[in-house]
Structure formats: structure tokens, C-alpha cells
Amino acid sequence: MSHALDLLLIGGIMLLALGAHTLGQRVHVPRVTLLLLVGALSGPEVLNLIPARVSDNFGLVTELTLAMVGFLLGERMSLRDLREGREAIIVSLTVTLVTALLIFAATWTVTQNLSASLVLAAIATATDPAATLDVMRETGSRGPLTRVVAQVVAIDDAWGAILFSILLVFAELFSGNGMNPFATIGYGIYEVLGAMVLGVLLGLPMAWMTGRIKPGEPMLLESAGFVFLAAGIAGLLDVSYLLTCMTLGITVANRAHHHVRPFRSIEGIVEPFLATFFFLAGFGLDWELLPTLGMLGAVYILARIAGRVLGGYTGGVLAGSSHVVRWRNGACLLPQAGVAMGLALVATHRMPEIAFILPLIIGSTVLFELIGPPITMYQLSKAGESGKGYEEEPDDD
């Protein structure tokens, strides 16, 4: 059977991703959003430009893409980096937990849906480090606030993905499948701990090989081979493939002598997968769900803003941060993009009954990507860290 149409589609998606990247830089809209929009317009519910069968392999594309993303997130959990950023560790953990708690309470109040509330609580913790760091580069900012925020956005997606992997297990098991509580808790522990053990067991030989393989094609083969093998074994053992690949990345980041090489190799091949992933996500979007998300969407957005600000302040107090950092770091963590939508896609794939989560996350992500960078720029400016540079100011406390 000829695959001419499939090849045309793949080539077209790659070029669309290139166009979205170029256009996004000019209009300050994330290319992820543009790809989702193009995919949605091409889908059967709008212009119907592409046969519906193209989404048949979406599950495979999702697992391949998120396996690589999980592995790349693991690099951010290097002990070498974490030891140097104690303040950022405390702030990021506090922001993650406070945001998750507020989102869970708010969405549970509106929906009375335990599974959806758990999933949304985890997804809300993800940020968009690219948008935040781009604002810092654009404004030439430097100072305590800039330093803390830069460190926080570098690791909080990893905290969020770990939390998501754990909460998704319990969301599935609490979704009314009739399992008794002890079986539910036992299986949840198995899926989480099993994923972590598997990631370590595969990460140790991968870390050993990394120091003995030269950069280039052999390194790419090793990296991709271990990442996809980890995801496959996780599927066979019925444990979280996302958490397995993240643990694999954490192990390599902390044990390999040349730990940067495998991560750069995966970064070199992940872009085409991400482009296909987000295009197909938009292609399968259920437009009929959008009008029903008004109240829930408003509650989610307000609760996430409150969680970021309150979590940032609380984390700053616990970490002994300056007055400026306490009050302003949380507002700099509003942008949200690819990781959040990726997690929403995983949740929708695993739990079709909460399909409304995907359009909710897409809509809120567009909003946060529009308002987040200007708010970050404003906070850096008010802190006196943008423009001509930072001058030390006395702590108000």
C-alpha cells in the first residue's frame, strides 16, 4: 500500500512548524498554539482538509514524543545544579504544591469530579521557560529576582511532571472502576515506584555507556535506543512511561561523566516529533466541548494566578528571599505552553472520559502565553532589574 499521502502530510507538518516558528516570533504567539490551531482547522469538524485516518497513529506519536520530553526534563534534576540553587528549589517546590492545592480545591468545587481535579492540579504547575527566559534576554535584566526566576523555570516543569505522573495514576484508579481502596493504593504505589526503579535500572548502564561513546551518530543511537526501550518496557509492565523516562534522565544526569551528550542528541531529533504531536492534537480537538468550559475555565485561570503568586510569596518566605523576590517571583511564572498541553494530551489519551481537559488547557495556555510575558517584563522592571541593569537595594524587611 502506498504511503504517499502520509509522506505528504509529514512533510507538510514539518514546513508548517517552520512557518509557525517564524510567524510566532513576529506576532509573539507560541508556535505550539499556531500548530494546534492549524491542526484544528484542518480537522474533520472544521475544514476537513485531511482524511480522519491520519490520527490513527496519534497514540504512538504521543508516547514517542512524551518519552523524549520526559527524558529531557530529567536533565534539570542534576544534583550539581540543585545544590547551587537552594533558594530556587524551595521556591519552585512551594509554588508547585500551592498551585496544585488551589487548583484542586477550586476545580473540585465546580466539577465535583475527583479525577479531573487531580489531573488539572498537576497540569497547572507546568510553566513555559522559553517565554520567561526570552523576556529576560530581551530586557537585559539581572539581579536577585532574575536569578531566582531563571532557576525556578529551569526545574519546575520536572516537579510538575513528577506530580502529574503520580496524580494521574490515582485519577485513573479513582475514576469509578470499582476497585477497592486497598487495591487502588497498592496499584498506584506499584506504578509510581515501578517506574522509578525501572528508570534507575536502565539509567545506570546508559550512564556507563555515555562516557565510552563518542558524540555523533553512535551517541544518538544509544540515547534514542534507551529512551524508547524504557518507554516500551514501562508499557509492558504497566507503569508510567513518562516517569520512567524522566527517572532515566535524572539517573544519567547525575551518574554520567559526559552527561550533556545524550540530552543534546535527543534535543536534535525531538522537534519533528513535537511538530507532529501538536498538529495531530489540534486535528483531534472536539470543538463541541469549548462552549461548556466557561465557568470551569474562569475558575482554573483565577486559581492558577492565585497559586503562582501565593506560592511564590510563601516559597520566598521559607527560603529567606528578599522582599522584592517574595512579592514578585510568582507573577513571573504565569506563562504556560508545550509541557502543559503535552500532559493534557496524555491525560486525555489515558482517560477519554475527561476529554474536556484538553480544550480547557489549550484555551488557558493561549491566555497565559499572551498575558504572562508582559507581566514578567513589568515585574522585572518594577524590581529595577531590567534595562540598564540592577543596582543593589536594601531589603524592606
Side-chain angles (χ1 to χ4, degrees):
M1 180 179 176
S2 173
H3 292 282
L5 181 60
D6 296 326
L7 292 172
L8 284 170
L9 177 64
I10 293 172
I13 291 174
M14 300 302 105
L15 294 176
L16 280 172
L18 176 62
H21 178 73
T22 303
L23 179 61
Q25 289 181 321
R26 299 194 175 205
V27 300
H28 303 291
V29 175
R31 64 174 179 171
V32 169
T33 303
L34 296 175
L35 274 173
L36 285 163
L37 180 60
V38 172
L41 293 175
S42 304
E45 295 193 22
V46 187
L47 300 178
N48 195 24
L49 299 177
I50 301 172
R53 71 175 182 83
V54 301
S55 60
D56 291 347
N57 293 320
F58 183 49
L60 175 61
V61 173
T62 297
E63 294 194 19
L64 286 172
T65 306
L66 269 296
M68 289 186 282
V69 169
F71 177 72
L72 293 174
L73 286 174
E75 184 186 12
R76 301 179 183 179
M77 306 299 286
S78 167
L79 291 177
R80 287 178 289 271
D81 298 329
L82 297 182
R83 279 195 293 264
E84 297 173 1
R86 172 188 169 277
E87 182 181 7
I89 296 297
I90 296 173
V91 171
S92 63
L93 274 172
T94 307
V95 170
T96 296
L97 294 175
V98 171
T99 300
L101 287 171
L102 283 183
I103 289 289
F104 174 79
T107 54
W108 166 251
T109 300
V110 173
T111 65
Q112 297 294 300
N113 186 324
L114 179 60
S115 297
S117 300
L118 287 171
V119 171
L120 285 171
I123 293 174
T125 62
T127 56
D128 178 14
T132 304
L133 296 176
D134 186 64
V135 169
M136 293 178 179
R137 285 192 296 267
E138 182 181 349
T139 58
S141 61
R142 63 185 181 89
L145 178 62
T146 303
R147 173 180 53 80
V148 170
V149 171
Q151 291 174 333
V152 168
V153 298
I155 58 174
D156 68 345
D157 277 348
W159 296 130
I162 292 172
L163 183 64
F164 173 82
S165 298
I166 295 171
L167 293 185
L168 179 61
V169 171
F170 289 96
E172 289 180 298
L173 297 172
F174 289 136
S175 61
N177 54 14
M179 294 180 67
N180 66 64
F182 294 106
T184 296
I185 295 173
Y187 185 77
I189 294 173
Y190 162 75
E191 182 165 355
V192 172
L193 291 183
M196 297 173 71
V197 170
L198 177 60
V200 171
L201 291 178
L202 291 174
L204 290 174
M206 182 178 180
W208 181 84
M209 290 179 64
T210 293
R212 291 160 176 80
I213 298 178
K214 294 181 179 180
E217 291 182 5
M219 178 59 68
L220 175 57
L221 292 174
E222 182 223 8
S223 304
F226 269 101
V227 171
F228 296 150
L229 183 69
I233 296 176
L236 290 175
L237 297 179
D238 202 20
V239 298
S240 170
Y241 72 88
L242 182 64
L243 187 55
T244 296
C245 292
M246 185 180 300
T247 307
L248 178 72
I250 293 172
T251 305
V252 172
N254 287 284
R255 297 293 299 175
H257 181 62
H258 299 288
H259 72 280
V260 171
R261 294 178 182 175
F263 295 104
R264 300 297 84 80
S265 296
I266 294 298
E267 284 181 349
I269 64 170
V270 74
E271 285 298 322
F273 289 91
L274 285 170
T276 306
F277 173 68
F278 288 115
F279 178 87
L280 291 178
F283 186 83
L285 180 64
D286 187 353
W287 289 82
E288 294 180 357
L289 292 173
L290 291 176
T292 67
L293 298 175
M295 174 62 74
L296 177 58
V299 167
Y300 174 84
I301 289 168
L302 292 175
R304 186 172 183 270
I305 293 173
R308 302 272 97 176
V309 174
L310 179 60
Y313 179 81
T314 306
V317 171
L318 295 175
S321 303
S322 67
H323 182 78
V324 170
V325 173
R326 291 179 190 179
W327 281 103
R328 300 191 183 279
N329 79 83
C332 295
L333 305 174
L334 291 179
Q336 189 175 40
V339 172
M341 284 187 273
L343 298 179
L345 286 163
V346 172
T348 302
H349 180 67
R350 294 269 293 265
M351 303 179 66
E353 66 272 20
I354 56 173
F356 62 87
I357 283 181
L358 181 57
L360 170 63
I361 295 302
I362 291 174
S364 62
T365 294
V366 173
L367 176 66
F368 283 124
E369 283 292 290
L370 290 174
I371 69 171
I375 291 176
T376 300
M377 187 177 295
Y378 173 79
Q379 296 296 333
L380 293 172
S381 176
K382 294 296 289 184
E385 299 188 12
S386 62
K388 296 182 179 179
Y390 170 74
E391 296 181 3
E392 190 69 43
E393 294 179 1
D395 192 346
D396 292 347
D397 286 356

